[in-house]
Amino acid sequence: AQKITQTQPGMFVQEKEAVTLDCTYDTSDPSYGLFWYKQPSSGEMIFLIYQGSYDQQNATEGRYSLNFQKARKSANLVISASQLGDSAMYFCAMRDWTTDSWGKLQFGAGTQVVVTP
Amino acid sequence: DTAVSQTPKYLVTQMGNDKSIKCEQNLGHDTMYWYKQDSKKFLKIMFSYNNKELIINETVPNRFSPKSPDKAHLNLHINSLELGDSAVYFCASSRDRADQPQHFGDGTRLSIL
């Protein structure tokens, strides 16, 4: 069963604006981690930001921040001051520690972001 | 200083052939993974090795066989290639902790003719 849901297949954003990428997840394990990755058109997977299930504060990493709402099981990525180089596919992923998953990453379907001048 | 390197970057071959993809990491990580990204960009784990031991084996055909000669290497051998095997295959590695990200190689694009 799909555990990570990204409802926005694609979005356009203007340069210098902020953009929020949605991610909801489903797990019964109290211990888990949420990750966001960027995949530009060149194909590599770039790690952006991490949020642990027990973290009290929302994660931030430069222009990236995570809006973590544990009760709603959502972990939205916010990119501030978008740049042309932010155009890419963005993946939300979850790593839980149930005995049958042993830390594997489960990915959402991704959101394609296009930044326009 | 490439952290996770996989070769080749592109692999074009005919149906029925056998091929291998090699992966090496110089990050000192204990765990390595193979993921498959399909034409719709969906990423799914195939295998995971921890200290040379297989710990995750998703529902993958027996034609796919991973081999880990040591902690820094995880190779993927595919027998009797089929059209449906066309995809991008990513190798990744991580420390053995839940809060540690997985670092990915650049991917191998496999095309079956």
Side-chain angles (χ1 to χ4, degrees):
Chain A
Q2 179 70 21
K3 289 192 173 185
I4 303 288
T5 304
Q6 295 181 250
T7 56
Q8 307 148 309
M11 46 200 311
F12 288 91
V13 59
Q14 271 206 306
E15 215 176 349
K16 297 179 189 167
E17 286 186 355
V19 60
T20 298
L21 309 183
D22 296 340
C23 173
T24 58
Y25 59 92
D26 183 31
T27 181
S28 54
D29 192 332
S31 303
Y32 55 88
L34 297 152
F35 301 80
W36 278 90
Y37 283 84
K38 172 184 178 182
Q39 187 176 37
S41 57
S42 47
E44 69 271 30
M45 293 286 290
I46 303 165
F47 165 68
L48 295 178
I49 194 166
Y50 165 81
Q51 180 83 46
S53 59
Y54 294 116
D55 292 344
Q56 296 296 311
Q57 300 207 341
N58 286 339
T60 60
E61 200 70 56
R63 294 186 299 111
Y64 304 108
S65 60
L66 221 150
N67 183 359
F68 181 47
Q69 298 187 46
K70 193 169 177 177
R72 296 180 61 186
K73 293 189 176 177
S74 77
N76 299 339
L77 177 71
V78 180
I79 307 173
S80 61
S82 295
Q83 302 171 356
L84 294 177
D86 294 334
S87 294
M89 183 75 105
Y90 289 82
F91 292 98
C92 179
M94 182 176 69
R95 187 178 184 181
D96 64 26
W97 290 92
T98 56
T99 50
D100 65 345
S101 70
W102 219 92
K104 70 183 177 186
L105 270 181
Q106 296 184 71
F107 284 87
T111 296
Q112 181 72 49
V113 171
V114 176
V115 181
T116 58
Chain B
D1 286 0
T2 308
V4 181
S5 60
Q6 48 183 115
T7 53
K9 193 168 172 64
Y10 299 97
L11 195 46
V12 181
T13 189
Q14 300 221 325
M15 234 171 28
N17 284 350
D18 303 339
K19 289 292 176 189
S20 292
I21 306 172
K22 294 187 174 181
C23 179
E24 176 182 2
Q25 54 97 3
N26 62 6
L27 297 167
H29 289 164
D30 295 317
T31 308
M32 296 185 72
Y33 311 82
W34 278 109
Y35 286 86
K36 179 180 180 180
Q37 186 173 43
D38 63 23
S39 57
K40 289 185 166 56
K41 300 277 191 176
F42 187 69
L43 274 150
K44 188 167 162 54
I45 190 155
M46 300 172 69
F47 302 103
S48 168
Y49 269 73
N50 179 262
N51 281 316
K52 301 195 298 172
E53 207 174 303
L54 180 67
I55 53 170
I56 293 174
N57 184 350
E58 290 292 283
T59 311
V60 176
N62 289 340
R63 300 181 295 103
F64 290 79
S65 53
K67 281 192 174 48
S68 181
D70 56 58
K71 217 170 72 161
H73 295 83
L74 180 62
N75 303 324
L76 183 66
H77 187 75
I78 316 169
N79 288 329
S80 304
L81 280 156
E82 300 177 358
L83 287 175
D85 298 332
S86 293
V88 180
Y89 293 85
F90 284 98
C91 177
S93 72
S94 72
R95 290 196 193 285
D96 195 14
R97 274 180 51 171
D99 61 348
Q100 294 298 300
Q102 292 179 18
H103 297 263
F104 284 75
D106 287 345
T108 295
R109 183 173 293 277
L110 175 62
S111 301
I112 310 301
L113 304 177

